[in-house]
Amino acid sequence: MQISRYIKNPIITKNDVPFKVNSIFNPGATKFKDKYLLLCRIEMPDGKSSFIKAISDDGYNFKLDEKPVLTPDDHHQFINYVNWGIEDPRITKINDSYFITYTGYSKYMPLVMLAETKDFEKFEIHGLISEPSNKDCAIFPEKIGGYYWKIDRPSAEERKDMWISKSPDLIHWGDYRLLLEPEKGTWEHNKIGLSTPPIKTKDGWLLLYHGVRGFGISNLYKLGALLLDLEKPWIVIGKTKEPILSPDLDYERIGDVPNVVFSCGWIDEPDGKIKIYYSGADSNICLAETTIDDLLSLCK
Ligand code: BMA
């Protein structure tokens, strides 16, 4: 398997946060002004999550901000949909704007929120782009056939499948279609969901997704890759047969939620390498590296 964990994992833990948090994990990732930027989920001592920014010159050594950059309280008219926390940001750059899809959590259960920023200081909160229950959403980085596209994961009673839909303006969504359902009897038996925003490759749209299987009292979260048709992104043209990353090391096994590897962001380099930012056991931020070509060959 052509995927390697960074030897100094985890790269960020709660000890790096300059104030008291329960945990830091599940960051969205992007390049911003030639630096690596992570928008990290921090779970505060009261159990509600906010976001904090981390910046790096090399993608390995990050410096965290002094304070959160986006909190539930910043959500004003949307506060009732996020007052149990904001979680799991995914970042897509379109032209000179960064669009962030994330989970708004409240007594109404998870739903998908959309915010936009140009500088990662000020955020324009566009509001809800799903009803509950829904999460694990990211937007494609360009229009396809004249429309924006997103993938998300509604929870419909027992069903936990990935869906795709389109929009003329990123706000109003429709043309919903099933994209992928869990393959029964395998590592993704119980549920799947999008992990990283799609990247355009010569062979199709490439993305990571997570699969979950319950064993005894534990759920195992693993990562796989998925390849979608470039012009018709609702068509799956390839998928990894086995997970590309599974919880194995102590920092993936032991933590708030044991036996989890979970990713919300990755950064592709001009030379075809790709940095996958992920979290172990909902308790840290880690890095794994591979190449686009390796992932593509595993999807065929
Ligand atoms: C998912 C999300 C993630 C979390 C994962 C594993 O449902 O809530 O935030 O990392 O479970 O606990």
Side-chain angles (χ1 to χ4, degrees):
M1 175 80 67
Q2 305 301 321
I3 180 158
S4 54
R5 289 171 173 84
Y6 181 47
I7 190 81
K8 291 190 193 156
N9 273 348
I11 57 169
I12 301 175
T13 70
K14 66 176 176 182
N15 299 328
D16 300 309
V17 183
F19 48 89
K20 192 175 167 203
V21 296
N22 286 338
S23 176
I24 181 164
F25 60 118
N26 293 359
T30 192
K31 278 263 180 84
F32 176 66
K33 290 188 176 167
D34 292 330
K35 299 202 189 276
Y36 296 77
L37 183 148
L38 300 181
L39 191 63
C40 315
R41 171 177 170 190
I42 37 173
E43 194 190 286
M44 303 301 287
D46 67 0
K48 299 180 179 184
S49 290
S50 288
F51 298 154
I52 191 171
K53 197 165 82 232
I55 301 277
S56 166
D57 289 326
D58 61 7
Y60 302 93
N61 300 288
F62 282 87
K63 186 164 176 0
L64 284 149
D65 278 358
E66 293 297 315
K67 55 180 178 39
V69 71
L70 193 68
T71 72
D73 286 342
D74 296 327
H75 283 69
H76 307 293
Q77 83 256 40
F78 304 113
I79 186 70
N80 288 342
Y81 305 111
V82 300
N83 65 352
W84 289 2
I86 52 174
E87 306 180 351
D88 302 356
R90 290 158 173 109
I91 306 170
T92 298
K93 187 177 186 209
I94 303 177
N95 303 322
D96 61 346
S97 273
Y98 295 83
F99 289 89
I100 302 152
T101 46
Y102 52 101
T103 303
Y105 193 35
S106 74
K107 69 179 179 185
Y108 305 111
M109 302 319 291
L111 47 72
V112 181
M113 299 290 301
L114 176 69
E116 179 179 354
T117 186
K118 288 191 163 57
D119 57 8
F120 288 93
E121 299 295 336
K122 289 192 300 293
F123 293 81
E124 184 183 353
I125 297 166
H126 292 297
L128 288 65
I129 55 166
S130 84
E131 296 166 306
S133 275
N134 201 324
K135 53 164 64 173
D136 300 329
C137 175
I139 293 169
F140 286 71
E142 60 184 69
K143 283 185 174 175
I144 307 163
Y147 289 90
Y148 298 105
W149 293 80
K150 72 167 160 58
I151 294 170
D152 59 15
R153 208 288 305 283
S155 299
E157 308 212 355
E158 299 306 304
R159 295 228 57 101
K160 313 239 182 229
D161 308 307
M162 290 165 68
W163 287 67
I164 186 165
S165 49
K166 74 182 187 194
S167 169
D169 58 5
L170 293 168
I171 308 294
H172 303 92
W173 294 88
D175 197 6
Y176 301 98
R177 303 171 202 220
L178 177 81
L179 180 65
L180 187 70
E181 57 187 272
E183 204 170 313
K184 291 291 164 193
T186 74
W187 61 277
E188 55 176 62
H189 180 91
N190 291 91
K191 56 179 169 174
I192 55 171
L194 170 133
S195 282
T196 56
I199 288 179
K200 194 177 197 178
T201 74
K202 60 185 191 321
D203 296 342
W205 293 102
L206 181 67
L207 58 97
L208 298 183
Y209 72 102
H210 53 270
V212 184
R213 185 172 204 174
F215 275 110
I217 56 162
S218 184
N219 281 321
L220 270 82
Y221 277 74
K222 304 180 178 182
L223 293 174
L226 190 63
L227 191 62
L228 308 177
D229 186 84
L230 281 178
E231 266 96 55
K232 297 179 178 157
W234 59 90
I235 297 178
V236 174
I237 53 179
K239 174 180 166 230
T240 45
K241 294 210 167 33
E242 299 170 7
I244 62 150
L245 195 67
S246 302
D248 186 18
L249 303 181
D250 280 358
Y251 57 79
E252 300 160 344
R253 294 271 190 201
I254 303 164
D256 282 352
V257 184
N259 303 316
V260 172
V261 293
F262 198 89
S263 178
C264 295
W266 55 2
I267 294 179
D268 58 325
E269 308 282 11
D271 64 0
K273 294 206 177 91
I274 186 151
K275 290 184 168 64
I276 301 168
Y277 294 94
Y278 75 98
S279 293
D282 283 2
S283 299
N284 54 46
I285 295 176
C286 297
L287 172 60
E289 292 176 283
T290 183
T291 68
I292 299 268
D293 282 344
D294 280 334
L295 289 175
L296 289 175
S297 64
L298 291 170
C299 284
K300 284 169 190 160

